[in-house]
Amino acid sequence: GEDVEQSLFLSVREGDSSVINCTYTDSSSTYLYWYKQEPGAGLQLLTYIFSNMDMKQDQRLTVLLNKKDKHLSLRIADTQTGDSAIYFCAEPNDYKLSFGAGTTVTVRA
Amino acid sequence: DTGVSQDPRHKITKRGQNVTFRCDPISEHNRLYWYRQTLGQGPEFLTYFQNEAQLEKSRLLSDRFSAERPKGSFSTLEIQRTEQGDSAMYLCASSVAGGLNEQFFGPGTRLTVL
């Protein structure tokens, strides 16, 4: 569970939807996580999904999980300037987390 | 409780010096983790404590690195004889065992080794 991969950059117009993709390695992961990191701040858990779910919706956030392809995505509806940040997907590896390199989302007016 | 705190937030040191960082986890969180994050990368696991016991250390943690959590509350991470390659953000996180095991992260200590 150490090779979590993400696309590195995403530029989106304010009000559009953002989709961030991630592939993970450990098919036995119970949960998969999305963390958000804003400049000068620590990582914050944004949302998570149980491995027995295909989809989870939480206000403007939608997480999709394709276990067959080990693919995870995060969709942010109606993207706002405050959504500009680095987004990390993470999978548990025993107690610790294995993170992707992060997707930098830039929201333009 | 205001969350995980780390001190200092920034540290600049010369190569060869020793540095020590402190992490105060959320009260009653029995698990504490140290990660290292370099520019353009996600956090990489360094070490993990359950209460005062250090249960796992990453291969990344060379002999120059040592971490302690003497009373099962705050933790320190010491780097001896710092090298320029040690320059990074050092993140601390804490969690409660079981369930989601959500890890709450501190703001990090940014180390620059000149």
Side-chain angles (χ1 to χ4, degrees):
Chain A
E2 296 181 350
D3 292 320
V4 179
E5 296 188 352
Q6 301 178 236
S7 50
L8 295 182
F9 300 99
L10 177 66
S11 177
V12 62
R13 193 186 305 270
E14 188 175 9
D16 288 351
S17 293
S18 307
V19 179
I20 306 167
N21 295 301
C22 169
T23 57
Y24 61 97
T25 60
D26 189 351
S27 59
S28 66
S29 296
T30 308
Y31 307 91
L32 291 157
Y33 308 89
W34 283 102
Y35 277 82
K36 178 181 180 182
Q37 186 175 40
E38 295 180 89
L43 279 80
Q44 175 188 5
L45 182 64
L46 196 60
T47 188
Y48 63 92
I49 188 168
F50 291 99
S51 59
N52 62 358
M53 298 169 65
D54 297 324
M55 185 182 82
K56 177 182 177 182
Q57 187 143 4
D58 182 2
Q59 299 182 344
R60 292 190 297 119
L61 305 177
T62 303
V63 181
L64 295 178
L65 176 60
N66 180 331
K67 289 188 290 293
K68 175 177 174 289
D69 295 335
K70 296 180 187 173
H71 183 265
L72 183 71
S73 68
L74 174 68
R75 178 176 179 269
I76 306 173
D78 186 25
T79 311
Q80 302 298 307
T81 55
D83 295 324
S84 292
I86 304 175
Y87 293 81
F88 295 93
C89 65
E91 62 175 341
N93 184 353
D94 294 327
Y95 314 117
K96 59 189 178 284
L97 295 175
S98 293
F99 289 86
T103 300
T104 300
V105 173
T106 302
V107 181
R108 60 187 192 278
Chain B
D1 192 283
T2 56
V4 179
S5 61
Q6 294 187 243
D7 183 69
R9 294 290 305 274
H10 304 272
K11 178 70 177 178
I12 300 174
T13 191
K14 292 182 179 179
R15 190 176 51 186
Q17 298 295 304
N18 299 343
V19 294
T20 301
F21 309 143
R22 178 181 170 119
C23 170
D24 286 272
I26 294 173
S27 300
E28 295 143 15
H29 278 195
N30 55 349
R31 290 182 172 175
L32 187 147
Y33 312 79
W34 285 98
Y35 292 84
R36 181 171 67 188
Q37 185 178 20
T38 54
L39 196 62
Q41 299 296 320
E44 296 175 293
F45 170 77
L46 293 179
T47 190
Y48 153 69
F49 291 85
Q50 177 139 329
N51 300 312
E52 65 275 9
Q54 187 174 19
L55 297 186
E56 187 173 347
K57 291 166 58 173
S58 163
R59 295 187 303 273
L60 295 174
L61 216 64
S62 75
D63 292 344
R64 297 183 296 105
F65 287 70
S66 62
E68 295 182 343
R69 195 184 185 197
K71 298 181 181 178
S73 57
F74 74 92
S75 175
T76 58
L77 177 69
E78 181 183 15
I79 309 174
Q80 295 182 326
R81 304 180 304 280
T82 52
E83 301 173 357
Q84 287 185 325
D86 297 331
S87 295
M89 177 76 85
Y90 290 84
L91 297 168
C92 176
S94 68
S95 71
V96 176
L100 180 61
N101 192 33
E102 178 182 351
Q103 295 187 23
F104 292 81
F105 283 80
T109 295
R110 181 169 294 285
L111 173 66
T112 302
V113 181
L114 302 176

